[in-house]
Amino acid sequence: MRAKSASVIAQTCRSILPVVAAALLFFGPLLFPVAEVYLLVFGMACFYAALAMAWNILALSGLYSLGHGAFFGLGAYSAIIFQQQLAFPVYAAVLAGGLVGALYGLLWGVVLKNLRGAYFALATLAALEIPRVVADNWESLTSGSMGIVGISRLPALELGLISLPVGESMRGQYYFLLGWMVLTAVVHRQALKSRWGWALQAIRDNEVAAEVLGVNVYGCRLLALGVSALLTGIAGGLYGHLMGLIEPAMVFSLQMAAYPLVLSFFGGRFQVLGPMVGALVLYPLDQLVLQPWLPQGHAAVYGLVIIFTIFFFPRGITAWLQQRHTS
Amino acid sequence: MVTAAPHLLELQDISVIWKGQTLLQQIKAVASSQEIIGIIGPNGAGKTTLMSVISGQIPPARGRVLYQGQDITAWPPHRRCRAGIARTFQIPRPFVDMTAWENVATAICFGQPQKAAAVGRSQAIPFLEMVGLVHKADTLGRDLTLSEQRRLEVARALATDPKLLLLDEVAAGLSPKMVRQVVTLVERLRQQGLTLLIIDHFLNLTLEVADRLLVLDRGEMIMAGPPQEIIRHPEVVGAYLGTRRVTKGRRTPG
Amino acid sequence: MGVWQQAILAGLSLGSFYTLLGLGFSLIFGVTRAFNLAHGDFILLAGYLAFALWHFWHLPFYATIPIAMVILPLATLTLRWLLARLPEPFELNSLVVTFGLAIVLQNLFLAFFSADFRLIVLPIETVLSVPAWSLLVTANQALLLSGSLLATLVVYLFLYRTFVGKALRATIQNREGAALAGIRVERMQLLAFGVGGVLVGLAGPLMAVNMYLHPAGGLEPTLIAIILTIAAGVGRTGSLLWAGWLLGLAESCTALGIGSSWRELVTALVLLAILTWRSRGRINPELAS
């Protein structure tokens, strides 16, 4: 009797917890006065959640990229260049930056067509270096390694009749990033649950069998690359406005593939909300708990987490919790 | 003027070269509708390579593949599948993280000529029935035995609604009773309008069902004809024993 | 002082060093087929160790080399222990786990040594002057050249002239075949990781003298080691040396011609070229015969 009621309580907790967390995430800042630092950290957690989901879309096709920073950096620089030198409105520039990233992604699809596994990952590392070195040296366009400073905050988002003050307050920024995360999650869901998602599953399970059973492997992969690069590029474009400055080492960095990789693996690569859970747990943990304690080197937690994840729960923490729940 | 209907499949001078080695040399063959053709030969003869050329997974260095009169040499594998060419693999390749019915559902969804939107379990069951795997419909691919995985291969291939079915060593290592079951299935498939190309190293299947045998040895097609004639021919025996003399100045064994 | 001769010398000494970087990686990759993305960080570990011994404990530089060569095998053998326990799929998981290891190491360096660039400074600057060729050999270059070439020679002799070395080569070429021939593959793996560790222990201090140590500096040596291993073929010392020299010369000539900031672009393009060249027209062996 006692054991049964204990497990009922545990079960109720398990079902309620995600609902409570979601409610806090969506409505918390509206209902309670939340300190700015929390809005900042959780807002950026949403940003990295979106980045993780974008990366994961490519991983769902069976390809692990270590060079996603290329799309991020291309998006960041292109957005600023379109805005400052071609007078694009801010959001249009960000979108255009995303398209530049997507084009580079499609180029990967063509050039790296025959590469798989570790060889693909290595090639993406090389493909990351190319735009970075160009950005570092083409000083007339990008101000070289000094970077571009003084980037404005995001302007109000005009959606028809509504005008959302995004850049003016931390709360506005938080909700913007939350919305961006939800948008990315919708696309991420497609990569898992749609017909295309089914094809991706077949491809990553057994590519040779998939192609002989009618799956257009090349086409599906190109789509995954394009979408993943687009979303990452847009994130890059937004990043400049969030940080106020960009420089090559910052945006064309290994971090922009490392973080998504760790967050997706940890959260659960095959769950719609997996990478999101990973980001919303690890990033605030790192920023709020670990960084104050170990200002230099706190990021080691990401390395430790990925090692642990591979050994103990390779399908991610959400899948592991679900498994324990059902067994 | 009446022109003869094109063969279902025609191979014209197919050659495959890899890393300097000639895997296939000027293979010519035709297959007509509802024929059952056996491809036999010793290990390393190129049988699976030939099958991979037909399925589109290995591009030939020279030569053409014609299907229903069309040149499909440049067609990728998935396009050929939708056009009606299906194959199984010698070592089965199930989707290990999908159940048996999901494996079949994938084939229905992507391999059939018309694009299928949503495919349910009920549509996959009939194909599992054909190979006797219904009782394992909800088992994951990784949890099936080797023999069950082989049967799943066939069910999946059939689920793509093929006109030409390529079977690679589907009867290898089977008991006579199970071979009989395969023979029954193959005959039934022929009745339903399929053409079959069967790779059969040990000949236990093709001797029973094949109309014709093609014999490969070291990348060349050395002989073609009815089974009873072929198996007695000294060249074929020599190929299997490794004692056949090879012309064109390449090394001779034995 | 001839500019081009200097560049060639720089290219050769750098290239020999690159070969040293590749040797350790090649042996480990050869017996496990694991891409160790933390290879460069292991070298940094040896480098930082040497730096700490030299800077904080005032050990002469040359004493740090044998110490590093003894300690690093401990690290690489720990890596082997880790890799042996990896779940399937091995290739991708080893990539991800070593990636995580690299992140951990990088942050360890950041925590202990900060992001400042560190360098060991040798007491002597120039060692040799060859006026006939307009050449000036710095102590650093002499050290790189002699250390790397000596190590390469020793490894070559080991692999090709000793019985154990031949067994190791056999394991690299064909693991199953070697096992069938009675070679204890596990021992060969321990040996490869051990020798790899010693080579890394040599490379680290050499790097600390020649190039600035900084926490994020592990990626480049890793990439170089991988490029050379793929280009030269696994476990082949001769081709590795040639590949190393070619890469070193290409880089130093680029630095002379266009400017050193484009150097990493050369490395990246070379890697891409090698990878795409390798993959063209590949046939999946299971689809043939």
Side-chain angles (χ1 to χ4, degrees):
Chain A
M1 264 297 119
R2 214 145 171 235
K4 196 175 178 194
S5 58
S7 79
V8 167
I9 294 176
Q11 201 165 337
T12 330
C13 283
R14 255 191 271 270
S15 335
I16 290 195
L17 192 61
V19 180
V20 169
L24 272 177
L25 206 62
F26 280 88
F27 301 112
L30 285 175
L31 300 172
F32 314 115
V34 182
E36 281 222 342
V37 63
Y38 292 111
L39 286 175
L40 177 64
V41 170
F42 278 91
M44 288 309 288
C46 289
F47 178 80
Y48 282 107
L51 201 66
M53 286 190 281
W55 179 90
N56 198 42
I57 290 174
L58 181 62
L60 287 172
S61 78
L63 296 173
Y64 295 176
S65 153
L66 296 176
H68 254 54
F71 309 132
F72 194 82
L74 279 171
Y77 270 95
S78 305
I80 300 301
I81 291 170
F82 283 135
Q83 181 195 326
Q84 289 182 348
Q85 299 190 12
L86 295 172
F88 273 43
V90 173
Y91 288 106
V94 168
L95 202 58
L99 285 171
V100 173
L103 276 174
Y104 195 46
L106 291 177
L107 187 64
W108 283 22
V110 173
V111 176
L112 308 181
K113 182 179 179 190
N114 294 324
L115 295 175
R116 304 284 183 272
Y119 296 102
F120 177 81
L122 289 172
T124 64
L125 274 179
L128 166 64
E129 288 291 282
I130 296 172
R132 184 185 70 78
V133 175
V134 170
D136 235 343
N137 287 290
W138 195 347
E139 307 212 333
S140 57
L141 189 66
T142 64
S143 311
S145 54
M146 286 194 308
I148 300 177
V149 298
I151 304 176
S152 59
R153 294 203 154 276
L154 287 169
L157 186 58
E158 315 273 341
L159 293 171
L161 300 167
I162 316 170
S163 174
L164 301 168
V166 173
E168 276 123 65
S169 72
M170 203 42 76
R171 205 150 71 153
Q173 182 177 299
Y174 171 80
Y175 274 105
F176 177 75
L177 292 173
L178 185 68
W180 168 240
M181 179 180 81
V182 171
L183 191 64
T184 314
V186 169
V187 181
H188 188 240
R189 187 181 188 282
Q190 287 303 101
L192 277 165
K193 304 278 186 192
S194 68
R195 188 172 184 269
W196 172 53
W198 194 262
L200 290 176
Q201 184 179 355
I203 293 172
R204 69 174 179 269
D205 196 315
N206 199 315
E207 187 182 324
V208 173
E211 71 178 351
V212 119
L213 291 173
V215 175
N216 184 352
V217 175
Y218 186 48
C220 287
R221 275 227 167 99
L222 267 185
L223 186 59
L225 260 170
V227 170
S228 181
L230 176 69
L231 293 173
T232 307
I234 293 176
L238 293 173
Y239 193 69
H241 294 282
L242 292 171
M243 295 289 133
L245 74 107
I246 55 174
E247 50 177 31
M250 199 169 132
V251 292
F252 286 108
S253 107
L254 203 54
Q255 239 76 296
M256 299 312 166
Y259 277 24
L261 188 152
V262 175
L263 299 176
S264 297
F265 268 81
F266 174 68
R269 284 174 296 140
F270 309 117
Q271 260 80 21
V272 178
L273 300 178
M276 195 190 297
V277 167
L280 292 171
V281 167
L282 272 185
Y283 185 77
L285 182 75
D286 170 49
Q287 294 289 305
L288 296 171
V289 175
L290 291 174
Q291 182 163 35
W293 177 59
L294 200 69
Q296 300 257 57
H298 61 95
V301 67
Y302 293 103
L304 289 169
V305 164
I306 191 73
I307 296 175
F308 261 83
T309 304
I310 294 283
F311 276 101
F312 297 113
F313 37 94
R315 295 183 80 88
I317 201 140
T318 45
W320 184 71
L321 286 172
Q322 272 175 13
Q323 236 185 8
R324 290 196 56 196
H325 174 66
T326 53
S327 62
Chain B
M1 190 172 78
V2 179
T3 47
H7 297 284
L8 183 69
L9 178 75
E10 187 178 341
L11 300 173
Q12 295 180 345
D13 282 324
I14 295 289
S15 293
V16 173
I17 303 175
W18 185 52
K19 282 190 178 179
Q21 266 196 318
T22 306
L23 298 178
L24 287 178
Q25 205 171 311
Q26 289 180 305
I27 305 290
K28 299 176 197 31
V30 294
S32 310
S33 189
Q34 290 182 293
E35 259 200 297
I36 299 180
I37 299 175
I39 303 177
I40 66 170
N43 275 323
K47 310 188 289 293
T48 302
T49 311
L50 185 62
M51 194 158 276
S52 299
V53 169
I54 300 172
S55 70
Q57 294 164 294
I58 294 182
R62 275 185 291 279
R64 297 198 301 164
V65 180
L66 298 171
Y67 177 71
Q68 294 180 319
Q70 263 187 308
D71 187 344
I72 64 164
T73 317
W75 286 23
H78 72 270
R79 195 172 168 197
R80 298 189 195 200
C81 175
R82 301 221 185 113
I85 301 178
R87 77 163 292 176
T88 65
F89 295 95
Q90 190 172 359
I91 300 173
R93 292 177 158 268
F95 296 124
V96 294
D97 283 321
M98 292 190 203
T99 62
W101 78 260
E102 283 170 337
N103 267 267
V104 175
T106 310
I108 298 174
C109 187
F110 295 100
Q112 297 207 346
Q114 306 94 327
K115 206 174 179 181
V119 179
R121 192 176 180 278
S122 52
Q123 288 157 282
I125 293 296
F127 295 103
L128 291 174
E129 271 172 355
M130 263 193 247
V131 297
L133 266 184
V134 185
H135 60 294
K136 292 277 183 155
D138 298 300
T139 315
L140 283 179
R142 65 170 82 248
D143 295 328
L144 295 171
T145 66
L146 183 63
S147 151
E148 288 165 345
Q149 285 180 349
R150 279 233 193 103
R151 284 189 266 165
L152 183 62
E153 288 274 295
V154 179
R156 262 192 340 192
L158 291 175
T160 66
D161 196 18
K163 298 191 186 60
L164 175 64
L165 181 58
L166 310 171
L167 298 174
D168 196 343
E169 299 287 7
V170 69
L174 291 185
S175 63
K177 184 177 126 189
M178 292 178 87
V179 174
R180 287 255 103 243
Q181 286 177 353
V182 179
V183 168
T184 317
L185 176 63
V186 165
E187 278 295 347
R188 210 172 93 199
L189 291 174
R190 185 228 289 266
Q191 304 282 343
Q192 290 173 358
L194 260 71
T195 304
L196 293 106
L197 253 62
I198 306 177
I199 291 182
D200 195 24
H201 175 78
F202 290 107
L203 290 145
N204 52 349
L205 177 63
T206 46
L207 273 182
E208 300 248 3
V209 289
D211 305 320
R212 269 194 298 143
L213 291 184
L214 304 177
V215 188
L216 290 180
D217 183 30
R218 265 171 278 210
E220 285 177 87
M221 180 151 349
I222 59 173
M223 199 142 296
Q228 295 308 319
E229 260 180 49
I230 290 288
I231 55 163
R232 286 197 191 87
H233 202 287
E235 278 244 4
V236 176
V237 175
Y240 268 85
L241 291 177
T243 56
R244 187 176 78 89
R245 292 199 127 240
V246 180
T247 51
K248 294 188 195 115
R250 296 213 319 269
R251 63 172 182 89
T252 54
Chain C
M1 199 173 60
V3 172
W4 281 101
Q5 291 95 312
Q6 214 58 42
I8 291 176
L9 175 65
L12 285 178
S13 65
L14 194 63
S16 308
F17 181 62
Y18 285 170
T19 304
L20 180 62
L21 297 181
L23 266 178
F25 182 87
S26 182
L27 287 175
I28 293 178
F29 179 70
V31 293
T32 57
R33 290 298 183 270
F35 278 94
N36 179 14
L37 286 183
H39 181 72
D41 292 282
F42 275 94
I43 295 177
L44 272 188
L45 183 66
Y48 273 114
L49 177 68
F51 176 80
L53 290 171
W54 173 80
H55 185 84
F56 297 116
W57 281 280
H58 305 290
L59 242 64
F61 166 69
Y62 294 98
T64 65
I65 297 183
I67 297 178
M69 284 170 78
V70 166
I71 295 194
L72 257 298
L74 295 174
T76 51
L77 286 170
T78 312
L79 176 65
R80 194 208 158 255
W81 181 85
L82 214 65
L83 288 177
R85 276 151 190 74
L86 269 185
E88 283 297 313
F90 182 75
E91 196 192 86
L92 282 174
N93 281 347
S94 62
L95 193 75
V96 175
V97 163
T98 54
F99 189 56
L101 200 57
I103 295 175
V104 172
L105 283 171
Q106 272 180 29
N107 281 280
L108 265 163
F109 300 147
L110 196 60
F112 281 101
F113 294 95
S114 88
D116 293 340
F117 285 63
R118 308 287 186 166
L119 187 72
I120 297 180
V121 183
L122 286 180
I124 322 163
E125 255 301 308
T126 346
V127 155
L128 196 63
S129 170
V130 189
W133 287 345
S134 315
L135 215 53
L136 211 64
V137 182
T138 64
N140 286 343
Q141 284 171 336
L143 199 59
L144 274 186
L145 266 172
S146 51
S148 311
L149 290 178
L150 192 64
T152 310
L153 182 65
V154 169
V155 172
Y156 168 76
L157 289 174
F158 171 65
L159 286 178
Y160 285 82
R161 296 293 160 88
T162 68
F163 188 72
V164 186
K166 287 181 191 172
L168 184 57
R169 264 196 306 139
T171 316
I172 290 175
Q173 284 173 15
N174 190 333
R175 219 184 309 179
E176 281 170 19
L180 287 174
I183 296 176
R184 300 217 208 131
V185 174
E186 181 159 331
R187 279 209 189 162
M188 290 296 116
Q189 286 191 345
L190 289 172
L191 182 64
F193 274 80
V195 175
V198 171
L199 291 169
V200 165
L202 174 62
L206 288 181
M207 187 170 176
V209 185
N210 252 282
M211 300 151 210
Y212 288 100
L213 296 175
H214 68 106
L219 183 61
E220 216 194 312
T222 306
L223 280 183
I224 290 170
I226 294 177
I227 295 177
L228 293 182
T229 303
I230 298 178
V234 189
R236 295 166 61 182
T237 36
S239 4
L240 203 63
L241 193 57
W242 284 110
W245 280 343
L246 268 172
L247 187 62
L249 286 168
E251 285 195 3
S252 78
C253 292
T254 309
L256 188 62
I258 316 176
S260 60
S261 51
W262 295 95
R263 199 173 53 83
E264 284 143 321
L265 187 63
V266 171
T267 317
L269 287 172
V270 168
L271 178 57
L272 263 180
I274 292 178
L275 286 171
T276 45
W277 177 261
R278 226 184 135 270
S279 73
R280 62 189 222 308
R282 285 182 84 226
I283 295 185
N284 187 335
E286 282 173 54
L287 295 175
S289 168

